[in-house]
Amino acid sequence: MKLNIRNETHPLRAVILGIADDMGPALDINPVSKFHMDNGSYPTEAIIKEELLTVQQALESEGIKVYRPENIPNTEQIFVRDIGFVIDETFVVANMKEPVRQKEIKGIETLLDEINPESILRLPKDATIEGGDVVLYNDHIFVGISKRTNNAGFEFIRQAFPHKKVHALPLVVNDDPATNILHLDCAFQPVGTSSAILYEEGFLTTPEIIHELFQPNELIHVNREEKQRMFPNIFSIAPDLVLVEEQFTELIEALQKRGIRSIKTRYSETSKLSGLLRCSTLPLFRHHTTG
């Protein structure tokens, strides 16, 4: 299996999409999902499977090869982004902070067997990192320092990819679902060729490197309520085409002004588990374009 991921937006050719088969008991490992458990609004397995199927159909309609994990009984396997990620031609197997999530990696082991072993990196025990905290922008790698990704994880990436400029971005981490940032891609994501969606308040300090790389008029700023709805967590199929939750009207308009078309999909129930479209996808190959 060939791998090639250099940024978030090059034309997508192959991706792993999560599954919601046999999810097991509800998990309260983040403030948002705990809120929905406590308030009786936790989504059903059936509706999540329906939303995932809609995403699969949208991806396949664009000619993209969609892989799915093997089902692990009694295990939530929706958010495959966290269990691994590709940088250039290398697959990095995540080291999950939560033991209950570490077993999700077994669901993609068959796919990993199709990859050259020399192209697979595994982290040391003291280094934790999840794919939601790793965002690529050509020669730059942004690593969110969160509850789930530590400084040792950042150092591992920095040393493993010495030809890249690797930036640590400490995130706001607490037990308040209104302000907590689960992963970097809940506060920041590049779109198009030179734009980005940004929730400025999600960082412990001003993310200067983001402001250096993106012009002010190319930043799509979102407020707390929009962050709560997970505006930054869309998924790019190409520089001019994204998958986006159908109710993100303001964001769809902002993207359209920048020449980016949206494929609207219903994903509001899955988002109650504190993950959206980027969280549910693990890109394997994007067509590298120059210029």
Side-chain angles (χ1 to χ4, degrees), residues 67 101 105 123 126 158 173 191 241 245 286:
Y67 298 92
R101 295 208 59 196
I105 295 170
L123 283 81
D126 67 321
R158 190 177 65 82
V173 178
V191 289
L241 185 64
E245 214 293 322
R286 291 184 183 273

Side-chain angles (χ1 to χ4, degrees), residues 1 9 11 52 57 67 74 93 98 156 158 160 198 201 250:
M1 183 184 295
T9 64
L52 282 166
Q57 291 170 341
Y67 298 92
N74 216 34
V93 180
E98 303 285 350
F156 177 86
R158 190 177 65 82
L198 179 66
E201 291 74 19
E250 306 93 328

Side-chain angles (χ1 to χ4, degrees), residues 108-125:
I108 62 168
E109 287 291 353
T110 301
L111 292 172
L112 293 179
D113 288 343
E114 298 182 31
I115 299 171
N116 183 342
E118 295 181 357
S119 297
I120 297 177
L121 288 182
R122 296 179 187 268
L123 283 81
K125 286 186 178 181

Side-chain angles (χ1 to χ4, degrees), residues 147-160:
K147 183 178 180 180
R148 290 166 169 77
T149 295
N150 62 15
N151 282 299
F154 160 73
E155 284 296 331
F156 177 86
I157 295 299
R158 190 177 65 82
Q159 294 175 25

Side-chain angles (χ1 to χ4, degrees), residues 6-290:
R6 285 170 167 75
N7 60 32
E8 303 293 327
T9 64
H10 277 157
L12 184 68
R13 296 290 182 262
V15 64
I16 304 174
L17 175 67
I19 59 173
D21 304 333
D22 197 8
M23 287 169 50
L27 298 177
D28 63 351
I29 59 175
N30 68 70
V32 174
S33 59
K34 186 177 188 304
F35 171 84
H36 288 290
M37 284 181 64
D38 295 343
N39 288 272
S41 51
Y42 201 87
T44 65
E45 183 176 299
I47 191 64
I48 296 176
K49 288 174 72 173
E50 182 181 320
E51 290 186 345
L52 282 166
L53 178 59
T54 302
V55 172
Q56 180 177 354
Q57 291 170 341
L59 291 168
E60 290 178 340
S61 71
E62 296 295 324
I64 297 161
K65 174 65 177 176
V66 178
Y67 298 92
R68 310 298 294 272
E70 291 184 359
N71 182 53
I72 303 172
N74 216 34
T75 302
E76 185 182 294
Q77 295 175 263
I78 303 164
F79 302 125
V80 292
R81 173 72 63 161
D82 296 333
I83 63 179
F85 49 93
V86 177
I87 298 177
D88 292 347
E89 291 85 26
T90 300
F91 192 104
V92 181
V93 180
N95 193 12
M96 313 289 284
K97 177 73 171 180
E98 303 285 350
V100 70
R101 295 208 59 196
Q102 187 69 21
K103 62 182 179 179
E104 294 175 41
I105 295 170
K106 294 180 181 178
I108 62 168
E109 287 291 353
T110 301
L111 292 172
L112 293 179
D113 288 343
E114 298 182 31
I115 299 171
N116 183 342
E118 295 181 357
S119 297
I120 297 177
L121 288 182
R122 296 179 187 268
L123 283 81
K125 286 186 178 181
D126 67 321
T128 62
I129 195 164
E130 298 185 3
D133 278 322
V134 179
V135 173
L136 307 183
Y137 185 67
N138 305 322
D139 293 333
H140 299 267
I141 303 174
F142 303 95
V143 179
I145 307 301
S146 67
K147 183 178 180 180
R148 290 166 169 77
T149 295
N150 62 15
N151 282 299
F154 160 73
E155 284 296 331
F156 177 86
I157 295 299
R158 190 177 65 82
Q159 294 175 25
F161 298 93
H163 59 293
K164 298 282 191 178
K165 300 168 186 175
V166 187
H167 312 281
L169 297 175
L171 303 172
V172 173
V173 178
N174 55 42
D175 294 324
D176 180 0
T179 56
N180 178 68
I181 302 297
L182 185 64
H183 289 119
L184 177 59
D185 62 11
C186 298
F188 166 67
Q189 186 177 178
V191 289
T193 56
S194 58
S195 301
I197 306 167
L198 179 66
Y199 176 62
E200 189 95 32
E201 291 74 19
F203 300 86
L204 287 181
T205 59
T206 301
E208 298 291 352
I209 183 61
I210 293 176
H211 291 284
E212 290 174 16
L213 292 173
F214 298 92
Q215 296 296 316
N217 64 332
E218 292 289 359
L219 287 174
I220 301 171
H221 289 276
V222 301
N223 59 35
R224 182 183 293 186
E225 186 268 336
E226 292 167 338
K227 184 275 296 185
Q228 281 293 89
R229 294 164 64 195
M230 303 197 73
F231 272 33
N233 208 268
I234 62 174
F235 182 57
S236 290
I237 293 176
D240 63 346
L241 185 64
V242 299
L243 270 177
V244 61
E245 214 293 322
E246 62 184 8
Q247 298 180 57
F248 292 178
T249 306
E250 306 93 328
L251 180 60
I252 291 169
E253 292 176 355
L255 293 168
Q256 187 174 4
K257 289 178 181 178
R258 290 165 173 80
I260 302 171
R261 298 173 293 125
S262 296
I263 297 177
K264 303 171 190 175
T265 184
R266 181 187 177 197
Y267 220 66
S268 57
E269 289 298 306
T270 304
S271 72
K272 293 177 180 179
L273 304 181
S274 201
L276 209 75
L277 293 159
R278 187 180 190 272
C279 297
S280 304
T281 49
L282 198 173
L284 299 172
F285 194 97
R286 291 184 183 273
H287 180 65
H288 180 56
T289 56
T290 58

